Amino acid sequence: TVSAEKIRATADLMVSTGLRDHGWMFVNIDDGWEAPKRAPNGEIQPNEKFPDMKALADYVHAKGLKLGIYSSPGPRTCGGYLGSYGHEYQDAATWAKWGIDYLKYDWCSYGRIAKDHSLPELQKPYRLMRKALDAVDRDIVYSLCQYGMGEVWKWGAQVGGNLWRTTGDITDTWESMSRIGFGQAELYPYAGPGHWNDPDMLVVGWVGWSEHLHRTRLTVNEQYTHISLWSLLSAPLLLGCDFSRLNAFTLNLLTNDEVLAVNQDPLGKQARRVLQKDDFQVWMKDLSDGSKAVGIFNLGEKRAEFALRWEKIGLARRQSVRDLWRQKDLGEFADEFRASVNRHGVVLIKVSPAE
């Protein structure tokens, strides 16, 4: 059901809701834009729902935004549309000509092409498209989507990826979101500027497929955990919700500049899990100004108190603390910081040595 009209409407909403002004930049077309057949010269063509892809890119760019597209290294995409197999250089040139800024390259049917699941075979199609993208005179962000096969985080940057999915698809449940998010703990060495671990999209707002949308099943506290954890992880923040149904709560979740600054911090470090105790996990991220972002997460089934001793996470005994969701200085704390954390919730703070 994706169409040029919907992409234009999404771009309009990214401006009118203020999302663009808080740093949300990409409007990405997923599967379903491709025509059933290529042109006689082999060029990939959009279907009737996208009558003029160049004009669409121009429209999105005029809004101060960027446009993304989707393909597969296999003959067919996951939705059964034409993939890029055998036309990699041609497709990259076509996308550049249209003005595309981002490519999600989804494994899909390439499983029938690959001889096996050895590293060379897993890497081969992604190396090839990297060469094709390098051959065009346009910067295109390159997203590897192959669900974490072959521990892609260890080699995604080597094959030229800018981000790589580390897991299968997320769903809007606590079980899925928490398993994926908290499961990223060992991946921090592989993230950095220009190459990121991607634990999949954000499942807030009205989510689902096609016209079958529903309000996210995550509770309010779980949504705070979701955005906080993805920000600490330096994860790509990708929205899969209906922008026309963004309520005030969801919009506030997505436009807190102090939380987004944690995600976008130029140092580009991914947070580490520095403490686990009972139902609590503490994650800490180094920031470019020398301070730390710290998430205190309660994975338990009831609200609980937690005392975070600075020495336990390697910090000096006296720290200044700012609550990032409330955008409020909490003062100086000697030795420890005590927080009451909701069920499945988080307290997200920024700490720096007190003078």
Side-chain angles (χ1 to χ4, degrees):
T1 61
V2 66
S3 68
E5 285 181 12
K6 289 182 178 179
I7 296 299
R8 282 189 169 89
T10 297
D12 292 344
L13 285 164
M14 285 183 71
V15 175
S16 63
T17 58
L19 283 169
R20 180 198 62 184
D21 294 336
H22 291 273
W24 299 88
M25 293 301 299
F26 286 87
V27 184
N28 293 343
I29 304 167
D30 211 84
D31 203 3
W33 61 269
E34 310 90 337
K37 292 183 178 179
R38 290 178 174 271
N41 67 353
E43 191 167 298
I44 190 86
Q45 302 178 98
N47 58 35
E48 70 282 355
K49 294 183 293 181
F50 291 87
D52 188 336
M53 201 66 89
K54 174 70 166 67
L56 178 60
D58 289 345
Y59 184 88
V60 171
H61 292 153
K63 298 280 181 180
L65 300 167
K66 298 185 178 187
L67 185 66
I69 209 160
Y70 172 102
S71 190
S72 170
R76 294 281 168 180
T77 66
C78 290
Y81 297 88
L82 286 178
S84 292
Y85 183 68
H87 294 270
E88 292 83 0
Y89 281 85
Q90 194 170 27
D91 287 358
T94 299
W95 298 327
K97 180 175 67 176
W98 289 343
I100 297 298
D101 304 292
Y102 181 110
L103 169 64
K104 177 182 175 183
Y105 209 43
D106 200 345
W107 180 263
C108 304
S109 65
Y110 194 83
R112 300 199 295 270
I113 303 295
K115 297 172 188 171
D116 52 41
H117 272 200
S118 65
L119 274 183
E121 285 296 296
L122 290 174
Q123 294 173 357
K124 183 178 178 181
Y126 292 102
R127 289 187 187 277
L128 178 56
M129 182 51 79
R130 177 72 267 172
K131 290 179 181 176
L133 293 174
D134 287 344
V136 303
D137 188 23
R138 187 170 187 83
D139 290 333
I140 297 177
V141 175
Y142 188 25
S143 169
L144 317 185
C145 183
Q146 46 81 289
Y147 337 117
M149 291 188 298
E151 298 183 315
V152 62
W153 47 89
K154 293 183 177 179
W155 51 266
Q158 297 170 24
V159 301
N162 298 120
L163 58 151
W164 43 82
R165 281 276 298 279
T166 58
T167 71
D169 291 349
I170 195 172
T171 59
D172 57 310
T173 64
W174 168 252
E175 291 73 25
S176 173
M177 184 276 289
S178 61
R179 174 181 51 80
I180 288 175
F182 294 109
Q184 306 295 302
E186 303 305 317
L187 276 54
Y188 66 87
Y190 308 105
H195 50 93
W196 311 102
N197 296 310
D198 177 9
D200 206 6
M201 65 182 179
L202 300 170
V203 283
V204 298
W206 283 78
V207 297
W209 293 100
S210 189
E211 267 69 57
H212 307 292
L213 301 181
H214 60 271
R215 193 186 300 276
T216 182
R217 289 170 286 181
L218 297 180
T219 67
V220 165
N221 291 322
E222 290 165 357
Q223 291 178 68
Y224 278 118
T225 286
H226 189 17
I227 303 297
S228 299
L229 184 53
W230 263 239
S231 294
L232 286 163
L233 291 171
S234 299
L237 300 183
L238 299 161
L239 293 171
C241 60
D242 182 349
F243 284 15
S244 69
R245 296 198 201 182
L246 285 176
N247 61 19
F249 171 76
T250 308
L251 202 52
N252 283 331
L253 263 185
L254 302 175
T255 57
N256 183 314
D257 289 331
E258 295 192 28
V259 175
L260 293 175
V262 171
N263 176 262
Q264 295 287 302
D265 186 76
L267 192 61
K269 290 282 189 76
Q270 179 170 313
R272 301 187 188 204
R273 184 168 57 202
V274 292
L275 197 59
Q276 276 185 287
K277 185 179 180 183
D278 301 325
D279 291 326
F280 282 91
Q281 294 189 19
V282 178
W283 291 60
M284 185 164 69
K285 176 178 178 175
D286 296 336
L287 301 176
S288 56
D289 65 0
S291 65
K292 314 280 187 186
V294 178
I296 305 170
F297 296 94
N298 178 5
L299 282 64
E301 293 306 312
K302 59 180 184 295
R303 183 183 180 95
E305 300 283 329
F306 187 79
L308 175 60
R309 293 193 62 80
W310 301 132
E311 63 179 22
K312 290 283 189 183
I313 59 172
L315 299 182
R317 68 173 297 271
R318 194 170 187 85
Q319 298 287 325
S320 294
V321 177
R322 182 170 176 83
D323 185 316
L324 295 181
W325 280 112
R326 292 179 175 84
Q327 298 187 344
K328 179 182 178 183
D329 287 326
L330 301 182
E332 295 182 3
F333 293 81
D335 298 320
E336 69 177 21
F337 173 76
R338 288 184 173 270
S340 179
V341 190
N342 290 321
R343 168 188 179 270
H344 295 179
V346 62
V347 170
L348 183 64
I349 56 177
K350 184 176 181 178
V351 302
S352 52
E355 295 180 1

